[in-house]
């Protein structure tokens, strides 16, 4: 199996909805990845082979009584406030954060900032989360993040549901101590289709997504429909397992 060097001396900034400019090993073709038995999703125990090709739950199914991850949005700079409120009221939620060092009053201070401005995720039924989204007394700045879909001849908006495996991968990627991951507010075409893989080693172990060469490096990425693309830093091909 052809291997690639995992070292990279280039550091790139991530945040403010800007994709970093990264450099690394180059090649004209993607390396082959090892075949393996279809793995089980680490959270649900179900095969993720079909789940990886979907970016949202089938809207033809009744999801209102089923627990899902929903994308929520706030007015500018209030995602942490809304997140804290939901967590304090027993809701499972996830706010992707980015740690950075800044000078505050002449001193170097580590601060946490939202990695996806104005967005966080919460798990529950649609009706459960509506009690918070429509709470105009305590949370007048909180709303669902909607996607548009066709129902017959009409276009309607429905709350964006994020598959469990994507939230699981997003958590791993954002928690990794790496300066050159990519979080982009746009859909990156290279990660819309292609070889589905699971990362088996290194700081991104457990991530499932599409492997592609992006910004001159081999990476694994996911697209959360209509919201963002997130992908790892460089991943050696030896750490990849292919789904049939």
């Amino acid at each position: 199996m052809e291997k690639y060097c995992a070292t990279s001396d280039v550091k790139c900034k991530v945040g403010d909805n800007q994709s970093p400019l990264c450099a690394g090993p180059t090649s004209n073709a993607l390396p082959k990845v090892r075949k393996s038995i279809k793995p089980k999703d680490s959270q649900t125990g179900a095969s993720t082979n079909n789940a990886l090709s979907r970016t949202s739950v089938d809207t033809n199914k009744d999801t209102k009584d089923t627990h899902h991850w929903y994308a929520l949005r706030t007015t500018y700079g209030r995602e942490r406030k809304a997140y804290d409120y939901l967590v304090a009221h027993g809701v499972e939620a996830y706010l992707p954060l980015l740690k950075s060092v800044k000078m505050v009053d002449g001193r170097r201070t580590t601060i946490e900032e939202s990695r996806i401005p104005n967005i966080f995720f919460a798990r529950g039924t649609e009706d459960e989360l509506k009690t918070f989204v429509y709470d105009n007394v305590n949370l007048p700045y909180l709303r669902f993040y909607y996607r548009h879909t066709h129902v017959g001849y009409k276009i309607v908006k429905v709350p964006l549901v994020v598959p469990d495996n994507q939230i699981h991968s997003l958590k791993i990627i954002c928690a990794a101590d790496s300066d050159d991951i990519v979080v982009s507010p746009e859909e990156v075409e290279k990660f819309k289709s292609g070889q589905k893989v699971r990362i088996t080693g290194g700081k991104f172990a457990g991530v499932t997504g599409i492997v592609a060469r992006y910004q001159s490096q081999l990476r694994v990425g996911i697209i959360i429909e209509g919201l963002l693309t997130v992908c790892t830093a460089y991943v050696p091909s030896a750490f990849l397992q292919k789904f049939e």
Side-chain angles (χ1 to χ4, degrees):
M1 179 179 297
E2 186 176 3
K3 294 186 177 180
Y4 291 75
C5 177
T7 60
S8 175
D9 296 327
V10 178
K11 292 187 177 180
C12 306
K13 295 181 180 179
V14 176
D16 299 327
N17 291 329
Q18 297 297 319
S19 298
L21 299 176
C22 301
T26 60
S27 173
N28 293 327
L30 292 178
K32 295 181 179 179
V33 293
R34 294 180 290 116
K35 294 183 178 179
S36 67
I37 298 175
K38 293 181 182 178
K40 300 286 186 177
D41 183 271
S42 59
Q43 291 184 335
T44 64
S47 172
T48 60
N49 189 34
N50 293 327
L52 284 171
S53 63
R54 299 196 328 243
T55 55
S56 63
V57 172
D58 188 347
T59 55
N60 291 325
K61 296 179 181 179
D62 184 7
T63 63
K64 291 188 176 181
D65 295 327
T66 305
H67 283 72
H68 295 294
W69 282 101
Y70 287 85
L72 303 179
R73 67 187 308 166
T74 68
T75 53
Y76 182 76
R78 294 179 176 176
E79 61 272 22
R80 184 60 185 258
K81 185 177 180 180
Y83 165 83
D84 289 340
Y85 186 91
L86 264 63
V87 171
H89 285 76
V91 177
E92 183 181 1
Y94 172 56
L95 174 65
L97 295 173
L98 175 66
K99 291 184 179 180
S100 60
V101 178
K102 293 187 175 181
M103 296 298 294
V104 179
D105 297 328
R107 301 177 61 181
R108 294 172 63 86
T109 303
T110 301
I111 63 173
E112 290 183 331
E113 299 175 301
S114 177
R115 193 181 285 273
I116 312 171
N118 310 325
I119 297 291
F120 71 101
F121 305 91
R123 184 175 175 81
T125 68
E126 184 176 333
D127 286 341
E128 287 172 349
L129 295 181
K130 279 181 178 178
T131 63
F132 298 97
V133 170
Y134 298 149
D135 182 354
N136 291 324
V137 175
N138 298 296
L139 297 167
Y141 46 83
L142 179 66
R143 292 292 181 266
F144 283 115
Y145 189 97
Y146 288 101
R147 61 186 289 266
H148 294 83
T149 186
H150 289 274
V151 177
Y153 293 101
K154 296 182 179 180
I155 297 178
V156 299
K157 63 180 185 178
V158 296
L160 175 61
V161 175
V162 184
D164 287 358
N165 70 292
Q166 289 195 337
I167 292 293
H168 178 66
S169 295
L170 180 63
K171 288 181 177 181
I172 295 173
I173 294 172
C174 290
D177 184 17
S178 179
D179 294 327
D180 54 349
I181 69 172
V182 174
V183 178
S184 171
E186 300 177 350
E187 293 187 354
V188 178
E189 292 292 329
K190 289 187 176 183
F191 297 110
K192 281 190 173 182
S193 62
Q195 179 60 60
K196 302 176 182 69
V197 297
R198 176 187 293 272
I199 301 177
T200 60
K203 64 183 69 176
F204 300 111
V207 169
T208 53
I210 303 296
V211 61
R213 189 168 296 282
Y214 180 66
Q215 295 182 342
S216 302
Q217 293 183 324
L218 192 67
R219 302 167 184 258
V220 175
I222 59 174
I223 295 177
I224 298 178
E225 182 181 4
L227 181 59
L228 61 86
T229 298
V230 58
C231 67
T232 66
Y234 168 73
V235 179
S237 60
F239 289 166
L240 302 178
Q241 286 184 341
K242 181 172 65 174
F243 290 127
E244 294 292 345

